């Protein structure tokens, strides 16, 4: 239970940093979370991927686009696409339930919080 709470707080902090364009804060949040425990290795993979993309300034990565102010509408489209992908994985390949439950759900949570923060700013 503590791991889930820690993850939720970290994702909220990350979303806030991204919405503010605060790369240093985002990386700090990610590194701090990577020092904690994870329910599943897929969660660690998503956080590792976020860290790598921000450190390398990868313009094609969604996390980098969020940091650089991806507009609210595009963020919503990405959110809907990832939610759709989660359902498709569960329907098409039952061996990928862990991927869907942890990796994709972590992305969905980040995008949902990011979209809510952007909406509150308007």
């Amino acid at each position: 239970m503590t791991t889930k709470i820690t993850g939720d707080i970290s994702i909220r902090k990350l979303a806030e940093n991204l919405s503010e364009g605060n790369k240093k804060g985002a990386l700090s949040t990610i590194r701090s979370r990577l020092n904690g425990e994870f329910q599943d290795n897929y969660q660690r993979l998503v956080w590792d991927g976020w860290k790598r993309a921000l450190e390398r300034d990868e313009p094609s990565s969604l996390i980098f686009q969020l940091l650089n102010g991806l507009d609210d509408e595009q963020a919503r489209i990405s959110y809907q696409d990832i939610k759709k992908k989660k359902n498709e994985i569960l329907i098409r390949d039952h061996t990928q339930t862990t991927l869907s439950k942890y990796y994709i759900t972590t992305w969905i949570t980040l995008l949902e919080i990011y979209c809510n923060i952007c909406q509150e700013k308007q």
Side-chain angles (χ1 to χ4, degrees), residues 79-95:
Y79 170 73
Q80 292 300 327
D81 287 347
I82 291 174
K83 277 182 67 173
K84 184 178 167 184
K85 175 75 74 187
K86 178 181 178 182
N87 292 331
E88 287 174 359
I89 287 173
L90 291 175
I91 292 168
R92 293 182 182 176
D93 189 353
H94 299 296
T95 64

Side-chain angles (χ1 to χ4, degrees), residues 33-62:
R33 179 66 185 107
L34 284 169
N35 288 329
E37 294 181 22
F38 292 88
Q39 286 179 293
D40 186 88
N41 197 39
Y42 281 109
Q43 285 181 326
R44 179 170 295 283
L45 289 173
V46 75
W47 286 89
D48 277 332
W50 289 342
K51 178 181 166 222
R52 185 177 55 254
L54 290 178
E55 286 177 340
R56 294 180 181 177
D57 293 334
E58 294 177 357
S60 62
S61 69
L62 180 55

